[in-house]
Amino acid sequence: MDYIVQMKPSFDENERSAMNEYLCSDSWLMEFKKTREFEQMIAQYTGANYCSIMPNGTLSLSVALLACGVKKTDEVIVPDYTMVATPNAVELIGAKAVFVDIERDTLCMDFVKMQEAITDKTKAIILVSINGRYPKKIEQIVKYCRERGIYVIEDAAQSLGSFYGERHVGKYGDIASFSFSVPKIITTGQGGALITDDEALYKKILLIRDFGREKSGEDHYLVKGWNFKFTDLQAVIGIEQMKKLPERVLKKRKMGEIYYNNLQHIDGIELIETNFEEVSPWFYDVLCDKREELIEYLHSQGVGSRKFYPPLHSEPAYGVEGKYPVTEEIAQKGLWLPSWVGLEENQIMWICNLIRQFYKKH
Ligand SMILES: *Cc1c(COP(=O)(O)O)cnc(C)c1O
């Protein structure tokens, strides 16, 4: 069997012929009709009133913060377990990222610890839906912030195609951000999107991403803005990827169930409870004993995997003191199993068998 990689992008002749057709038309490459069409598709799929495509899922978070009026003296609460882009997007605009520990059941921000971290300087929180899951207290978190005038920005980079109740993940906060980097469920190489139902926030986003002007070609600047525009070259790929999203969502839920059912009773493996009726996980995450040995063993058998993110507060980039027992523990045990959407059922069964055999011997 070929080496099973932990992740890779998935595309075929649909993307190739759409790109060919686009390049054979009178195209300008920069963002225009194709980007607008891609935005429409995302707004419609997520049920948002407005969508703005962004160059990537890091800048999109910075723009969301700017649109909410976050300034240099402000603090923004972020979970200690997330992709480093979450706090970095805060620091990029000069504000301060304040780390909060997570809850072990969902790997998302802990509501009680979040309340303890709030100060008069807290202007926003970034709520990260890890692998498409929300924290247990999502409704209370949003209510708590609304009552205090604190913006809730959702980093939903891992959550396109995941739902919570009637709504798409990302529809609980004020603005949500998605990423289309290569490991995500759909990709444009690099890319991101912001969704919101708030017209005023949407208008600010549009100004910030286009030099602060209302119309291209009319050089009159209402606010300070930059160039965070997309390209139609990438939107052509994004449109084709979006057409495949519903099918991928079903596939990823099914893959999750197969992993879950087959790893459930293995001593040494702990699973994160996931509702596969609503959530289509980005990566399949497990907590495991003897992680380093398991990684080596899987690799020797032709199976790739990847360790969880480290506790961000203690990384050299931040070096913040504090108590983060949950992120510290899961960073030692967490492992992402092969998760790309083209994996076959028999490959997942094979991976689960390898894991079972490993723990029989250890
Ligand atoms: C992928 C990811 C990002 C970053 O997105 P880019 O498009 O790579 O900038 C941000 N936050 C989370 C939680 C992610 O998984």
Side-chain angles (χ1 to χ4, degrees):
M1 223 189 300
D2 285 342
Y3 193 89
I4 300 175
V5 292
Q6 196 268 327
M7 63 84 177
K8 63 174 179 178
S10 180
F11 52 85
D12 57 24
E13 61 279 6
N14 293 325
E15 281 80 0
R16 283 192 285 273
S17 63
M19 184 57 78
N20 193 46
E21 197 178 308
Y22 176 69
L23 289 175
C24 290
S25 69
D26 186 18
S27 52
W28 280 39
L29 312 178
M30 61 191 234
E31 75 162 49
F32 190 45
K33 284 185 190 161
K34 295 289 178 188
T35 303
R36 299 290 90 80
E37 189 181 336
F38 187 29
E39 282 169 344
Q40 277 304 314
M41 288 173 97
I42 290 172
Q44 194 177 13
Y45 185 86
T46 57
N49 288 352
Y50 307 102
C51 172
S52 172
I53 297 289
M54 304 295 301
N56 60 58
T58 306
L59 280 175
S60 58
L61 287 171
S62 293
V63 170
L65 292 161
L66 289 170
C68 292
V70 175
K71 296 195 173 54
K72 283 197 166 63
T73 45
D74 294 331
E75 293 177 356
V76 177
I77 291 179
V78 299
D80 193 33
Y81 174 71
T82 175
M83 211 242 145
V84 73
T86 318
N88 287 3
V90 177
E91 304 265 334
L92 180 67
I93 63 161
K96 185 177 174 216
V98 175
F99 295 101
V100 163
D101 204 3
I102 56 169
E103 54 186 20
R104 211 172 175 291
D105 303 10
T106 64
L107 308 183
C108 296
M109 189 142 69
D110 183 288
F111 180 40
V112 174
K113 292 173 188 165
M114 181 200 93
Q115 291 173 56
E116 289 163 9
I118 284 178
T119 71
D120 331 332
K121 291 183 180 165
T122 310
K123 180 86 179 187
I125 68 160
I126 302 184
L127 197 112
V128 184
S129 39
I130 289 289
N131 267 328
R133 293 181 299 255
Y134 266 143
K136 278 183 292 184
K137 300 268 163 63
I138 174 68
E139 273 110 350
Q140 288 97 315
I141 292 174
V142 173
K143 182 164 175 275
Y144 182 94
C145 291
R146 290 255 153 84
E147 283 168 3
R148 285 160 184 78
I150 296 169
Y151 284 99
V152 178
I153 294 166
E154 292 200 47
D155 183 350
Q158 306 179 356
S159 308
L160 188 63
S162 287
F163 295 80
Y164 183 82
E166 299 289 286
R167 276 184 265 176
H168 195 284
V169 170
K171 287 276 292 162
Y172 284 75
D174 298 293
I175 306 182
S177 165
F178 296 99
S179 162
F180 312 125
S181 70
V182 166
K184 305 304 198 283
I185 190 163
I186 67 159
T187 184
T188 54
Q190 301 288 350
L194 291 174
I195 59 164
T196 184
D197 285 343
D198 185 321
E199 191 183 358
L201 286 176
Y202 173 66
K203 285 192 167 159
K204 278 196 202 156
I205 292 166
L206 294 186
L207 289 175
I208 293 165
R209 68 195 292 282
D210 190 24
F211 303 113
R213 61 192 179 185
E214 269 180 322
K215 248 186 173 170
S216 68
E218 278 183 26
D219 293 311
H220 178 50
Y221 312 108
L222 302 178
V223 298
K224 283 183 191 131
W226 292 269
N227 181 359
F228 299 145
K229 293 189 292 291
F230 202 53
T231 67
D232 266 14
L233 211 52
Q234 291 163 288
V236 168
I237 305 276
I239 290 165
E240 295 308 313
Q241 295 265 303
M242 273 308 282
K243 289 179 192 164
K244 294 170 180 170
L245 181 63
E247 192 191 318
R248 286 186 183 182
V249 164
L250 295 178
K251 173 96 193 279
K252 291 215 91 181
R253 290 180 185 173
K254 177 130 183 284
M255 287 164 69
E257 276 172 2
I258 301 171
Y259 268 126
Y260 205 94
N261 294 336
N262 286 280
L263 295 175
Q264 218 173 9
H265 301 298
I266 297 177
D267 240 5
I269 289 283
E270 197 184 326
L271 299 168
I272 314 296
E273 189 85 51
T274 303
N275 176 4
F276 294 112
E277 308 256 296
E278 297 185 336
V279 173
S280 75
W282 166 63
F283 283 174
Y284 300 104
D285 45 7
V286 297
L287 301 174
C288 50
D289 295 342
K290 303 202 176 74
R291 182 178 67 176
E292 307 304 313
E293 287 161 81
L294 177 62
I295 293 171
E296 267 311 301
Y297 176 70
L298 290 174
H299 177 63
S300 74
Q301 300 297 312
V303 175
S305 60
R306 184 171 155 191
K307 292 180 211 174
F308 274 19
Y309 305 123
L312 294 179
H313 75 276
S314 62
E315 284 295 288
Y318 286 94
V320 176
E321 304 265 310
K323 285 207 171 78
Y324 299 87
V326 184
T327 57
E328 273 158 21
E329 190 215 340
I330 63 138
Q332 301 295 318
K333 293 181 140 188
L335 193 67
W336 290 311
L337 298 172
S339 303
W340 81 287
V341 74
L343 268 188
E344 303 292 342
E345 182 164 344
N346 66 331
Q347 290 177 306
I348 300 177
M349 298 295 282
W350 156 254
I351 295 163
C352 294
N353 279 332
L354 287 174
I355 296 173
R356 191 172 302 115
Q357 273 167 25
F358 172 83
Y359 284 108
K360 263 191 201 148
K361 284 188 250 159
H362 285 79

